[in-house]
């Protein structure tokens, strides 16, 4: 049987993994973090993949991961994407074809505050000088939002909770 698949998308630091794990737990769904899935498959961490193989190799791996995860699953699953996943090639169209997408639309100020403190392990940010980080984040978010906003559900402000995600996913019936 082809079970339900859902995707959490959004900028780095928007809470995809932390809220996603708890939402999946509440729904009784499997939780898959796309970065961790790639790391397990390749046997290297995301920062090492960026450093040794380059960003474009990582983007190819993200696409392959999405395609692999499009195989019918045994149980429903919630897949937390990397911040850049929907923004390359036709990944966003693929995501929307494969399941229900939910954009965690976190405010720029919160993202900037979080990412200033949590830059380690994020290769997109590690080379950016601290004083340029707010501008870099604002500009990258502006470029990425048109992709994120194609999601089936856009959650912001008080909807950015485990209950908000669960509600969005339960409100939309698939297959
Ligand atoms: C990236 C976000 C990261 C990870 C990689 C690239 C990006 O995931 O996929 O470092 O391009 O925004 P998180 O959004 O989980 O930090």
């Amino acid at each position: 049987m082809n079970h339900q698949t859902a995707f959490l998308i959004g900028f780095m630091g928007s809470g995809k993994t932390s809220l996603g794990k708890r939402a999946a737990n509440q729904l009784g769904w499997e939780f898959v973090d796309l970065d961790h899935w790639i790391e397990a498959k390749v046997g290297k961490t995301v920062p090492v993949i960026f450093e040794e193989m380059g960003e474009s190799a990582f983007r190819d791996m993200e696409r392959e991961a999405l395609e692999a995860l499009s195989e019918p699953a045994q149980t429903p699953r919630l897949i937390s994407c990397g911040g850049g996943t929907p923004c390359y090639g036709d990944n966003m169209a693929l995501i929307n074809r494969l399941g229900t997408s939910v954009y965690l639309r976190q405010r720029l100020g919160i993202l900037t505050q979080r990412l200033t403190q949590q830059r380690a392990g994020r290769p997109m940010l590690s080379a950016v000088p601290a004083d340029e980080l707010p501008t870099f984040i604002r500009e990258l978010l502006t470029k990425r939002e048109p992709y994120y906003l194609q999601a089936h559900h856009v959650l912001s402000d008080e909807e950015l909770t485990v209950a908000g995600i669960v509600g969005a996913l339960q409100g939309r019936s698939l297959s």
Side-chain angles (χ1 to χ4, degrees), residues 84-152:
T85 313
C87 312
Y88 291 86
D90 66 345
N91 287 355
M92 191 62 216
L94 178 64
I95 286 169
N96 278 342
R97 253 199 330 274
L98 296 177
T100 304
S101 56
V102 180
Y103 170 27
L104 303 186
R105 192 182 199 190
Q106 193 56 267
R107 285 175 195 210
L108 175 64
I110 294 178
L111 294 175
T112 306
Q113 195 184 26
R114 284 185 186 169
L115 292 171
T116 302
Q117 288 156 7
Q118 303 165 12
R119 252 193 318 161
R122 290 198 154 102
M124 294 295 290
L125 306 178
S126 47
V128 182
D131 60 338
E132 291 174 22
L133 202 57
T135 306
F136 180 86
I137 291 170
R138 178 167 40 78
E139 289 179 352
L140 189 57
L141 180 62
T142 302
K143 275 194 219 143
R144 289 181 168 183
E145 267 233 306
Y147 297 94
Y148 297 151
L149 288 170
Q150 293 171 40
H152 296 123

Side-chain angles (χ1 to χ4, degrees), residues 10-13 16-17 35 46 50 58-59 62 81-84 121-124 144:
F11 206 77
M12 293 170 271
K16 300 180 298 284
T17 302
D35 283 337
V46 171
F50 265 69
F58 175 73
R59 300 301 171 197
E62 283 186 304
C81 296
R122 290 198 154 102
M124 294 295 290
R144 289 181 168 183

